[in-house]
Amino acid sequence: MRSPSSQAVVKEELFLWEFFEVEGESVVFVCEDREQILQDILERYGASVRFEEQAGGSHSYYCYTEKWLDGIRIGEEFINLHIAFHGDSCAVGSPIIFGGF
């Protein structure tokens, strides 16, 4: 963790507080309650949803938190937290989830 390269770490169990140790990466985990997971992540990071997108069977929330300085601009919005749901999986990435999900 905290590496400038993209080195995967595979874990059997992941806690929300562990996201503070990860930068510029994404994690995928199984979730049963989308709304609860979304609200927990937004609350934990003091984030707000800037816009949503539905495509390819996924529902994405593009968010911003003042806790992180880095991010990207998508249209008129500055984004640094991306939360996406697909089936029973949830992916969380910063600044956005790269690659397929």
Side-chain angles (χ1 to χ4, degrees):
M1 293 197 183
R2 293 196 182 274
S3 169
S5 67
S6 182
Q7 299 171 355
V9 174
V10 178
K11 298 185 75 168
E12 292 294 321
E13 187 173 13
L14 183 68
F15 300 97
L16 287 178
W17 58 266
E18 291 180 282
F19 291 121
F20 288 112
E21 299 293 318
V22 179
E23 295 178 3
E25 300 287 342
S26 64
V27 296
V28 178
F29 55 96
V30 175
C31 64
E32 294 179 12
D33 187 344
R34 290 180 177 202
E35 273 305 311
Q36 186 62 53
I37 291 292
L38 176 64
Q39 292 309 313
D40 287 350
I41 294 170
L42 293 175
E43 182 178 315
R44 176 72 181 199
Y45 294 104
S48 61
V49 175
R50 296 301 172 101
F51 65 94
E52 299 176 37
E53 174 185 56
Q54 292 188 35
S58 295
H59 191 147
S60 286
Y61 297 86
Y62 296 89
C63 310
Y64 173 76
T65 175
E66 292 182 0
K67 293 184 178 198
W68 301 330
L69 299 177
D70 294 331
I72 62 169
R73 186 164 298 283
I74 299 177
E76 299 294 318
E77 298 292 344
F78 189 74
I79 305 301
N80 58 11
L81 177 63
H82 181 188
I83 305 164
F85 297 95
H86 185 88
D88 65 351
S89 296
C90 176
V92 180
S94 175
I96 62 170
I97 300 164
F98 292 98
F101 172 68

